[in-house]
Structure formats: C-alpha cells, structure tokens
Amino acid sequence: LMKVIKLPELRELTTFSNSTIYRLIKEGTFPQQIKLSERSSVWSMEEIDNWFQEKKDLRMETRL
C-alpha cells in the first residue's frame, strides 16, 4: 500500500513554502506530485523519504 501525503503535510515535513516546493519540482530536484484530479495532488511518502535520504547521504559525503 502506497502512503501519500497532501501539500500541507509536505510543507510541514520539509519546512518549505509552496513556491519552494514547486520551484524544486520544476528544477527536477524534488519528487513530482501525483495528480489525482484537476485540483487534487499528493506526493508519495516513499519518494519523499528517498529524497531526504539522498540529502542525508550528500551531507555524509561532504564530511569525508
């Protein structure tokens, strides 16, 4: 079962504003939303977790 979250929870998890989230998506550096309907989008929690892990891994690499 895929866990998904909506924008308010995504903002809380990342501490990013809406504009930052959508800018990063446009830049290709953040997971894209999944459109459920014309006005409803969600994000895969697995993809968000992976994005956080990549950031953590980058942090560890810069310490070496």
Side-chain angles (χ1 to χ4, degrees):
L1 180 66
M2 181 192 310
K3 177 161 174 40
V4 294
I5 58 172
K6 289 193 152 270
L7 188 57
E9 189 175 352
L10 183 62
R11 282 195 315 258
E12 189 175 318
L13 281 172
T14 62
T15 71
F16 292 158
S17 66
N18 289 5
S19 57
T20 297
I21 290 168
Y22 288 110
R23 179 177 50 81
L24 294 174
I25 290 170
K26 188 175 181 181
E27 292 172 358
T29 60
F30 194 79
Q32 283 192 325
Q33 69 272 43
I34 301 163
K35 294 287 278 181
L36 299 179
S37 67
E38 185 180 329
R39 298 185 64 180
S40 180
S41 295
V42 294
W43 281 260
S44 161
M45 198 59 225
E46 180 182 6
E47 291 177 358
I48 300 303
D49 286 340
N50 290 341
W51 179 83
F52 275 117
Q53 187 63 49
E54 288 172 14
K55 295 296 181 188
K56 184 179 172 189
D57 292 347
L58 282 172
R59 178 187 69 185
M60 296 306 288
E61 288 174 14
T62 59
R63 290 182 176 179
L64 300 178

